[in-house]
Amino acid sequence: MTTSMADRLLEVEDLRTHFRTPDGVVRAVDGVSFHIAAGETLAVVGESGCGKSVTSMSILRLIPEPPGKVTGRIMFRGRDLLSLSEREMRQIRGNEISMIFQEPMTSLNPVLTVGRQIRETLKLHQGLDDRAAEARAIEMLDLVHIPEARRRVKEYPHQLSGGMRQRVMIAMALACNPKLLIADEPTTALDVTIQAQILDLMRELKAKVGAAILLITHDLGVVAEMAKRIVVMYAGRKVEEARANDLFRTPRHPYTRGLLGAVPKLGSSLASDAPSRLAEIPGIVPNLKKPIIGCAFASRCTEATELCRKVAPPIEAKAPGHFVACHHAAREAVAA
Amino acid sequence: MLAYVVRRVLATIPVMLVVAFVVFSMLMLAPGDPAAVIAGDQATPQDVERIRQALGLDRPFFVQFADFLWRLVHLDLGTSIFTNLPVTHMIAQRIEPTLALMVLTIVLAVSVAVPLGVVAAWKAGSWIDRGVMLFAVFGFSVPVFVVGYLLAYFVALEWELLPVQGYTPLSQGFLPFLENLILPAIALGTVYIALIARITRATMLEVLAQDYIRTARAKGLGTRPILFLHALKNAAVPISTVVGIGIALLIGGAVVTESVFAIPGLGRLTVDAILRRDYPVIQGVVLLFSFVYVLINLLIDLLYTLFDPRIRY
Amino acid sequence: MRRRDFLGATVAGAAALAAPAVHGQASAARVLRIVPQANLTSLDPIWTTATITRTHAYLVYDTLVGMDSSFQPRPQMAEGWTIEDDGKVYTFTLREGLRFHNGEAVTARDVVASIKRWWARDGFGQEIAKRHASLVALDDRRLRLTLQKPFALTLKALGKANASPCFVMPESVANTDPHTQITSAIGSGPYRFVREEWNPGSRVVYARFEGYVPRQEPTDWTAGAKLANAERMEWHIIPDPATAGAALQSGEVDFWEIPLHDLLPVLRRNRNIEVVVRDPIGSVGMLRFNHLVPPFDNPALRRALMLAVDQENYLRAVVGDDPGMYATSYSFWSRGSPMHTEEGSEPLRVKSLERARAALREAGYAGQRVVQLHASDFPTLAALSQVTADLLRRLEINLEFVATDWGTVVQRRASREPIERGGWNIFHTTWSGPDWFDPASTLAMRANGTGAWFGWPTSERMEALREQWFEAPNQAEQKRIATEIQREAFRVVPHIPLGHFLSPSAHRRNVTGVIKSPIVLFYNMGKSA
């Protein structure tokens, strides 16, 4: 273990997010555990539908209940978020934990000025008056390098470009100096050049503000640039967790290997035109409406055996700080 | 913006001309003869003919139309065939009750229907939602006069809480004024509430699924600011469109409501005039109604800019 | 909780705002609120024959001669009169102190001008007009009518109370062309028309005319004293009968002239309401034929249809099953009139579809189309019309039933064209009893072809008898001639009489002074406490 329990800002234990639908229960997240230390950047990767976004939404308790149902434990600074009242939760959202989303084009309210949307958070959580909130909003826009901040606060989202809007989202998210920033695919919808700028900005601000980041992405190039540690999810479960270097160098789960197959070269994805998305893996993701027996990846795995189809592999440390849920993953001589 | 308003107002002129022509033709081509109505049952056919001549109703169609237009250009709507009073005077006498009824109904309907629709959308699928939708079906299917009779019977006759009928001008005090208008406004507003509540619910359902609502929640905002600021402002354009369209519905409903509650408004003036074939009055009222309708639509278009900064004229 | 308190209690501290309502209550006892039978649209009782305008006029105007409950002429504005020269010279003297509402004294010149405008329009008036030699004011208070030959009905005509009575207006107003509407409402009657508060279709307001000097004799229809017992009279036009009924029940109005028959049981059950038969004669229904176009230009067909008519069916359709509310009348003259007789009425008592079918066949009916005009906006007319339509269908007559509104019927009935070009064969209407009183008052009994009332019957004999009737020296002779006219009418069938029905009024128990008369008279009415 690289961090002691005390350092842990967020600890997710056995998180299960299930949705009741007319034709069965969808197990979108099914027993995921991970942690983030203060100031750390953790990436959660996986194909779309693997449950990574639901995981982030579950942490902020933004899953509508019903039809959703979230169980497990989400310890944040010593409190289990799942046991808090909605009122207490609202004091955490946007304040101690804030979030930015994939779609900067639609994530801002089109009929309210940018300034108003930033001020709102400040007034709510920091108790600032209009004038102070306005000053702080301008300051935040400056911080995220939006030129003419004083004019821009009075503008509406449709008057800004996509990159600008994501900067506004970041400014809004960081306005109250959160301890944890959840970034759900923050650059996916942006042009390649803008992506680089936004990532630069996030790194810069992280250094300034000192927030931990939970980065949700399917872009391994982004992960490589940002994260120290990576969690790989498949079909609502965590299949591998390791330090970034270890994971890229020696992916141990067949699924992770499949994902990495298409990334041409570490760290070069942003500069090149080569696809930086996850590789295509033959086969389809299992239906989450039925309980999965055995390894969820077994049906697509070239190495799957009878054991894989019958018994779900437990997640085990196969090397120091490197956890894998695969019956066939090689175990290094673990020093620990 | 100003140029747009001026352009729109000017554009109403040809519309009004067409309305004037259509109304005039319809009246002239439709059966009925004011002279015969005036003369009464105990008059001879000769008397009827003499009255028709005295009123100029025996002149050719286009002569009468030209005369009508000429007066219209001078903002003269003519004189009622029956009462001999200027049409403008008769309209002026009747405009306050109708205006009051409409305004009260709109205020009542919007302030009831919008929160209902918002709550129904927020609690979609719950008993509140089902209750609101049930009410909407009821509002659509029960005619105005039935609601009116029921209200008058129970609230006014049985429980003696409010007067059965009539109108008290605002100048005689706000409370007596309100006493007379509450039941008519509820009766007239029922279908309107149903309409607005439904469109509010539908629009809000769509808006609440938007990304920016998720953002607002992630910011820690409470339910009320999310529903009534973030969501409702986005839903305001379709809602205000329906409010505007619904005013045409109100004009129709006002005729019935004014009859049931004996309110001396324009609706009843119109019906009375139609039954008697009082051509100048019919023309005047129809022109006024179409002008008001065009004006309200302009007003609503301008209102859009207030709700949605992306709309500019 | 009483209604006045409701909002006051709801809206705390708003008592001050409610003050005007309290003031209104204090004076309520002196204000009489009436729901009249129709909307007052025209103020000129000579220009229109609408009943509601006549009701208005009896409040605002006075007449030289009145009519008492025995149908006899009595002086009203006239102090008295002398008849000289074998009934050819009438000299009237006006009462002292008569004033118009504008304060000016009523003079003989005003009366002369008013009579002249009246007799240019009114049928009975025309009978005097065509016999007169001169009509002049002798001085301020005296006027003289000189006839070419004696006319025994002169005073009756001047005092007539049905259709257009001879109301007295200021000379300047009375000089208006009789076919052009007057705009003034200045009379010398017991009530003053409050023009500022007139809202046609909603409200008509009258105030007691303090300058009116009533006669000393007791009130007797339009004769005797006319008293303004209510300080202020408001007409509330309530188009919806259910609403009018509710307003009477809740005490928002005091008097409802003609309640819908269907609502009478509810009103009778209310302890605060009295239902009274104000007009003991009631109204008569009529099935009118067009005598100019086939197939009912054939008198045999009109007579054949009469065999099938059963008045009770019509009357029950109008008033329901209360036998106290209707009466058959197999006569062309109204019940209550001295002329009323059922002589010659056998065809109307047959009431047989079989006989009617046979008669139709015999008269040569061969499936020609029949156009019946139907006004669906007046419940009474619609009921009568429905019964006839049912009858015609059962007689296998090829019926085209044109359902429309009264405004269309009155236009279309004026058409003398064949039915292919917008003409008609049958329509229905009702008249008040006095409109069928005698040959002088009964417009529908004229039979001078295109000069006659809608339907244009032609009968030289009926016209000749009518002339004789006017010349008759006494009532017995009048009755004899009227009976002859009726015999001829049963042969010609200008229309089919459908019987009498009563239209009671309903009022709050504290209403006083309701005049029982076939003419609607609102003076004398007041409220106790």
Side-chain angles (χ1 to χ4, degrees), chain B residues 31-32 38-39 41-43 46 50 82-83 93-94 149 160-162 164-165 179 260 264 268 276-277, chain C residues 2-4 41 48-49 179 181 198-202 240 243 252 405 408 411 413 429 435 443 450 453:
Chain B
I38 287 163
D41 236 3
Q42 284 120 321
Q46 287 73 17
R50 288 285 299 274
F82 286 79
T83 62
Q93 261 185 335
R94 299 301 196 101
Y149 283 150
E160 302 192 348
L161 297 175
L162 291 166
V164 172
Q165 51 88 45
E179 275 187 338
V260 170
R268 268 186 56 207
R276 288 198 304 268
R277 310 293 191 270
Chain C
R2 289 296 308 175
R3 81 169 40 86
R4 283 292 169 203
T41 52
T48 174
T49 61
H179 289 92
Q181 184 177 202
W198 183 33
N199 189 343
S202 169
D240 188 303
T243 306
E252 288 166 45
D405 69 334
T408 304
Q411 183 200 32
R413 74 176 182 186
T429 190
D435 294 332
L443 191 60
T450 54
W453 195 69

Side-chain angles (χ1 to χ4, degrees), chain C residues 300-410:
Chain C
L301 272 186
R302 299 196 293 270
R303 285 193 294 267
L305 187 59
M306 182 146 65
L307 298 177
V309 165
D310 181 349
Q311 287 191 350
E312 291 217 22
N313 288 342
Y314 285 90
L315 296 169
R316 274 206 293 266
V318 173
V319 304
D321 287 331
D322 183 351
M325 286 293 114
Y326 66 85
T328 58
S329 170
Y330 303 112
S331 173
F332 284 91
W333 311 119
S334 134
R335 276 171 168 269
S337 156
M339 301 300 130
H340 184 262
T341 170
E342 297 195 340
E343 294 233 3
S345 65
E346 293 76 16
L348 203 44
R349 298 163 183 274
V350 173
K351 306 171 189 173
S352 160
L353 282 172
E354 289 311 308
R355 295 260 318 262
R357 265 195 211 104
L360 281 168
R361 246 193 327 273
E362 205 174 305
Y365 178 72
Q368 295 98 319
R369 191 154 58 101
V370 169
V371 172
Q372 180 187 339
L373 304 180
H374 172 87
S376 42
D377 50 340
F378 283 88
T380 302
L381 301 188
L384 295 175
S385 182
Q386 293 283 9
V387 175
T388 296
D390 178 55
L391 199 64
L392 294 178
R393 289 194 186 104
R394 285 200 279 159
L395 290 170
E396 286 144 40
I397 281 172
N398 176 9
L399 174 66
E400 185 186 326
F401 187 71
V402 181
T404 176
D405 69 334
W406 182 244
T408 304
V409 170
V410 293

